[in-house]
Amino acid sequence: MWGKRAKVVVADYAVVIAAALVVALLVGGALTYTTQIEPGTETEQRTVSEWRSVGGYTHSSTIQTENRVFDVGETLEDRSLYYTQLGPELDGQFRYGFEAPNGELTVETTTTLVIRSVSEGDDGNTEELWRIEEPLGTTSETVAPGELATTSFTVNVTEVLADIEGVREDLGASPGETSVSVVSAVEATGTAAGGEATDEATYTLTLAPGSDTYSVSGPSGKTEPHPRTETVTVEQSYGPVRSVLGPLLVVLSLVGLAGVAVGRHRGAFEVTDTERRSLSFAAERKEFDQWISRGAVSTAADDKPRVRIDNLEDLVDIAIDTDARVIEDVGKHRYYVLGESLCYEFEPPGEVDLRGLAE
């Protein structure tokens, strides 16, 4: 049955199928040509070398006041917390260098103490209310790989607290949140890893001053990669799906076109009226399958008056109205509805094989 349906589809839509196969052939040919023969080129950025910058802070505080824990002159180094009364001065160094197989960089560093007050609005944005900046040092050094350009600075936390209090007295208010930081702005130029190298970066050491203690936090050795790239032209590459799809479409399209042409030439797709009626009835039979039961009608039914029905749909309607079933008698090649006094009978087209409809 499926073979007959396929033959009808090909017979009715041969031109459309041939056109679709031609389109698939053209698409497959284009894919094959652009993938296998002339893939074209594209530009891409390729990393040819890389160097790394390294920047960070070290800091310490020297004990200046007699106490029971530390000796005067003792130095506390790289701690997160220092004591304001014992060691109010924070001595720090900002160091910057680079890692590379070769090269030389001139490093200019400007370090500034920044005191400011900020307020966060209802929309989440931060507004700066006031700012004080104090230069801590500017240096310029030329360094090779592995060497460090160093900028030293000192911050007196007691004086910072006094400055903050003085600003509040001048303003007559203390709005916002005050922050203190050491900011180091770096400009490095030169060569590294076989090419020109530049870097502009800002590093921040944050201080939280208090009358008893002050905390310090910031990068000690932050590393940043600096890849050096160049634009190159390369042949486009495609995945395995496209590489296989093009030739596959070409082969299948050619086979399909050849099959359609040969079949039409030999009349393999010619469909008779009998075959069309058979397929039409098969579709109708499938549509009403839920109302039909297969069985054998006994000879006793022959004694009932017969009512011949012209089509299966009307016979199904009678079965529904009489609350009965349609009986398909394959042996007799007929359909029946058995009423109390009548026998309703439908005989399909003579060329239809009822046994084939069950497939």
Side-chain angles (χ1 to χ4, degrees):
M1 190 63 69
W2 283 107
K4 291 181 179 180
R5 290 194 181 102
K7 187 166 69 170
V8 170
V9 171
V10 175
D12 293 345
Y13 300 99
V15 176
V16 176
I17 293 172
L21 289 171
V22 170
V23 172
L25 177 62
L26 294 175
V27 171
L31 288 175
T32 302
Y33 181 80
T34 56
T35 304
Q36 309 290 345
I37 302 173
E38 191 63 40
T41 60
E42 61 182 355
T43 59
E44 65 178 27
Q45 295 292 320
R46 179 175 296 173
T47 300
V48 294
S49 63
E50 182 179 87
W51 62 279
R52 293 176 175 271
S53 60
V54 182
Y57 295 90
T58 61
H59 44 81
S60 62
S61 177
T62 301
I63 301 300
Q64 301 177 8
T65 306
E66 292 282 352
N67 65 91
R68 299 180 182 181
V69 180
F70 303 105
D71 296 330
V72 175
E74 182 178 349
T75 300
L76 309 181
E77 296 181 345
D78 295 325
R79 293 196 173 195
S80 59
L81 191 71
Y82 296 99
Y83 302 95
T84 305
Q85 301 299 323
L86 302 183
E89 291 186 345
L90 178 72
D91 297 318
Q93 287 185 326
F94 172 73
R95 298 175 176 179
Y96 180 93
F98 72 105
E99 300 171 354
N102 52 61
E104 186 178 75
L105 292 181
T106 297
V107 182
E108 295 183 359
T109 306
T110 300
T111 301
T112 307
L113 175 65
V114 178
I115 307 172
R116 66 181 192 139
S117 179
V118 296
S119 175
E120 184 174 335
D122 295 335
D123 56 0
N125 294 325
T126 299
E127 179 184 7
E128 184 175 272
L129 302 179
W130 55 266
R131 168 188 287 257
I132 298 176
E133 293 188 2
E134 178 184 338
L136 296 179
T138 300
T139 59
S140 179
E141 281 187 66
T142 299
V143 295
E147 297 179 346
L148 295 174
T150 302
T151 302
S152 299
F153 58 88
T154 298
V155 177
N156 190 309
V157 175
T158 303
E159 293 179 359
V160 169
L161 291 172
D163 289 339
I164 294 172
E165 186 61 30
V167 170
R168 290 172 176 172
E169 290 179 358
D170 292 342
L171 297 176
S174 56
E177 183 177 346
T178 305
S179 66
V180 180
S181 58
V182 175
V183 179
S184 299
V186 175
E187 291 186 8
T189 57
T191 60
E196 293 185 0
T198 60
D199 183 28
E200 292 186 5
T202 300
Y203 298 82
T204 302
L205 183 71
T206 302
L207 282 73
S211 58
D212 298 322
T213 61
Y214 57 94
S215 61
V216 182
S217 62
S220 59
K222 182 180 178 182
T223 302
E224 290 289 341
H226 299 272
R228 189 165 63 88
T229 62
E230 64 179 18
T231 302
V232 296
T233 301
V234 297
E235 186 177 274
Q236 283 186 316
S237 60
Y238 302 95
V241 174
R242 175 164 173 165
S243 299
V244 174
L245 181 61
L248 183 62
L249 282 176
V250 171
V251 172
L252 293 180
S253 300
L254 289 174
V255 171
L257 287 170
V260 171
V262 172
R264 294 198 67 182
H265 178 71
R266 295 180 177 179
F269 302 129
E270 293 181 2
V271 183
T272 65
D273 292 340
T274 299
E275 289 175 322
R276 290 185 183 275
R277 285 194 295 270
S278 178
L279 288 172
S280 177
F281 181 75
E284 187 179 32
R285 170 64 177 80
K286 183 176 181 180
E287 178 182 355
F288 299 119
D289 185 69
Q290 62 178 322
W291 303 103
I292 300 173
S293 299
R294 295 170 64 87
V297 178
S298 68
T299 56
D302 295 337
D303 297 334
K304 294 184 179 181
R306 298 289 180 95
V307 179
R308 293 193 177 274
I309 307 301
D310 293 336
N311 56 71
L312 182 61
E313 181 178 1
D314 288 344
L315 188 66
V316 171
D317 288 340
I318 292 172
I320 295 173
D321 293 340
T322 59
D323 196 22
R325 296 285 297 175
V326 176
I327 306 301
E328 176 188 3
D329 193 323
V330 178
K332 295 181 179 180
H333 290 212
R334 286 178 174 82
Y335 291 80
Y336 299 92
V337 172
L338 302 178
E340 293 182 359
S341 59
L342 296 174
C343 177
Y344 301 92
E345 178 186 52
F346 165 69
E347 183 178 359
E351 63 276 4
V352 175
D353 184 358
L354 297 186
R355 290 169 295 183
L357 299 181
E359 298 176 359

